[in-house]
Amino acid sequence: RRDPQVLRLIRDFDQSGKLIAAICHGGWMPISAGVYRGVRVTGSPGIKDDLINAGATFEDAAVVIDRHFVSSRRPADLPDFCKGMLEVLENWSPR
């Protein structure tokens, strides 16, 4: 989350509508990239405040899909997380 190239890649993915997926504490990367403002997300309860402070709308759910963003809370949510990513990839088209 501190690497400028990684943050630029996340911003580029956001601008082109490509999948951005985060599970557990992975939400810190889109937070640092500044792409979560106005996005519905979930994540580890430990970063709930960080997500909210970044402008995201936090939901306590196994998976949250908002446009090209997919997020989950913990490893037990992996089946739903994977289905969410596949759903976004299946419906993706270049902007």
Side-chain angles (χ1 to χ4, degrees):
R1 77 182 275 202
R2 294 182 192 153
D3 186 324
Q5 292 176 327
V6 170
L7 300 178
R8 187 172 35 256
L9 180 67
I10 293 169
R11 287 185 202 109
D12 289 347
F13 269 49
D14 181 44
Q15 290 178 354
S16 62
K18 292 179 181 175
L19 172 65
I20 297 175
I23 189 168
C24 297
H25 290 74
W28 276 336
M29 291 172 56
I31 286 171
S32 292
V35 300
Y36 263 177
R37 182 160 305 285
V39 178
R40 291 182 312 107
V41 299
T42 193
S44 169
I47 68 166
K48 176 182 176 181
D49 291 344
D50 300 321
L51 293 164
I52 293 168
N53 290 335
T57 301
F58 183 84
E59 297 180 15
D60 184 14
V63 66
V64 174
I65 302 169
D66 185 351
R67 295 167 285 145
H68 58 283
F69 296 94
V70 178
S71 55
S72 286
R73 303 169 297 193
R74 58 185 60 94
D77 298 332
L78 276 169
D80 293 324
F81 183 62
C82 292
K83 288 176 190 171
M85 288 188 295
L86 290 172
E87 180 181 320
V88 169
L89 290 171
E90 183 178 85
N91 295 311
W92 185 78
S93 63
R95 289 185 181 174

